[in-house]
Structures are given as C-alpha cells and as structure tokens.
C-alpha cells in the first residue's frame, strides 16, 4: 500500500505502518520540493534519518546481517519521457563479518554513463577507510588515499586496467 499526502494535507490510500511493503510518497507539481527534517534543541545533536536492516522477518526483531547485505540506499531517477531511469545512487552495505557491537560497513556511489540505462559503481569507501575509484572496467583493486602501513600498500597509486600494471605508486 501507499501513503500519499496531497497539497491540501489530506491522506490518499492510507496504509498501516509495519505493513509488508509500505511506501510513503510525497508528490508535488510545485517548482521546488524540500522535504525537511527540523530538530530544535539546545545540544550538539541534529535531525537524523535512519536506515536499519535485520534479517529477522518479524518487525522489530534482531537477526544478524551478513557481509554484503544492502543496508540502505538513496536512488536518484529522472524521466526519459517514457520511463523513470536510475541516474545515480548512494548505497551502504555490510562490509565484513558483523558481531556483537561490531558492524563493519562500506558506502558506494554510482552513476549512469551517457547513452546507458544502468548505473555502475564509481567510488567506494570501505570498512578500513580506504577510498577506491573506478573507471570503465569497474575494478576496485588499488585504494586511493592514505595507508598507515608504510611500504606494504601504496599511499597513492594510479593503475591501468590490468591489476599487474601499476603506472605510478607513492609510498610513505
């Protein structure tokens, strides 16, 4: 089911929270739409949006996620005149084996190339804090950024399409 709040503030197609496949829709034909999360409090906290994932099938239940589970996503679509097509995304995943008070994660960013109808991952920040950039071959083999282990991995590397073809590497 869906919940839609019209410009008049009325509800259309109300659904029960916690339903199997609920959708909350905000629609407008105004020039600008700014969903806003306000937080008025004299503290350092801020308004927050939570994305939570459990493998438990009971609402509110806890079952550990597994490595690679998608935890949340922001997807950006545009109309091609006929269909909604994905242009870009930001996704968060479990990135390692979780345990009690341990939840390793990674965040990825994807974009769709001109002439394509599907988005590809372009940038990744993994659970170790390494930043990976990708090109046309979508290989994430060499991190870009600082590495605390001197002479183990490069702190900066430019690599070709073959994993054995490092073109430049800098070590600390």
């Amino acid at each position: 089911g869906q919940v839609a709040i019209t410009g008049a503030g009325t509800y259309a197609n109300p659904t029960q929270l916690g339903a199997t496949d609920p959708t909350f829709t905000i629609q407008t034909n105004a020039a600008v739409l700014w969903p806003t999360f306000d937080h008025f409090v004299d503290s350092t906290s801020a308004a927050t949006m939570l994305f939570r994932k459990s493998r438990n099938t009971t609402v509110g239940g806890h079952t550990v996620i597994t490595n690679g589970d998608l935890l949340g996503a922001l997807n950006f679509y545009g109309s091609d005149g006929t269909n909604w097509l994905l242009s870009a995304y930001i996704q968060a995943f479990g990135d390692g084996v979780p345990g009690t008070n341990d939840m390793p994660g990674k965040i990825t960013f994807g974009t769709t190339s001109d002439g394509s109808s599907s988005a590809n991952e372009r940038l990744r920040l993994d659970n170790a804090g390494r930043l990976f950039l990708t090109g046309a071959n979508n290989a994430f083999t060499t991190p870009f950024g600082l590495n605390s282990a001197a002479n183990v991995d490069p702190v900066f590397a430019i690599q070709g399409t073959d994993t054995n073809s490092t073109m430049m590497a800098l070590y600390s």
Side-chain angles (χ1 to χ4, degrees), residues 140-157:
F140 289 98
T141 56
T142 303
F144 170 84
L146 299 177
N147 187 325
S148 61
N151 296 323
V152 175
D153 289 321
V155 293
F156 176 78

Side-chain angles (χ1 to χ4, degrees), residues 27-168:
Q27 296 176 335
T28 182
N29 60 355
V32 178
L33 172 64
W34 290 316
T36 304
F37 299 92
D38 292 328
H39 185 95
F40 299 96
V41 63
D42 184 14
S43 74
T44 59
S45 65
T48 303
M49 181 182 294
L50 302 176
F51 295 84
R52 301 191 300 188
K53 162 83 175 177
S54 170
R55 284 192 162 244
N56 197 304
T57 59
T58 301
V59 174
H62 289 274
T63 299
V64 68
I65 65 155
T66 61
N67 182 32
D69 276 3
L70 179 63
L71 304 179
L74 295 174
N75 296 313
F76 303 91
Y77 286 81
S79 176
D80 69 354
T82 304
N83 300 301
W84 294 108
L85 297 176
L86 182 63
S87 177
Y89 64 78
I90 303 169
Q91 298 177 328
F93 295 87
D95 187 31
V97 178
T100 303
N101 296 319
D102 175 37
M103 188 54 58
K106 70 179 176 188
I107 189 167
T108 65
F109 296 81
T111 60
T112 301
S113 300
D114 190 17
S116 178
S117 62
S118 60
N120 292 305
E121 183 179 337
R122 307 293 187 186
L123 183 137
R124 176 187 304 168
L125 181 62
D126 75 1
N127 72 53
R130 298 175 298 182
L131 179 66
F132 294 81
L133 305 174
T134 185
N137 69 341
N138 291 321
F140 289 98
T141 56
T142 303
F144 170 84
L146 299 177
N147 187 325
S148 61
N151 296 323
V152 175
D153 289 321
V155 293
F156 176 78
I158 298 176
Q159 186 168 335
T161 57
D162 180 348
T163 58
N164 296 319
S165 65
T166 299
M167 300 154 93
M168 179 177 78

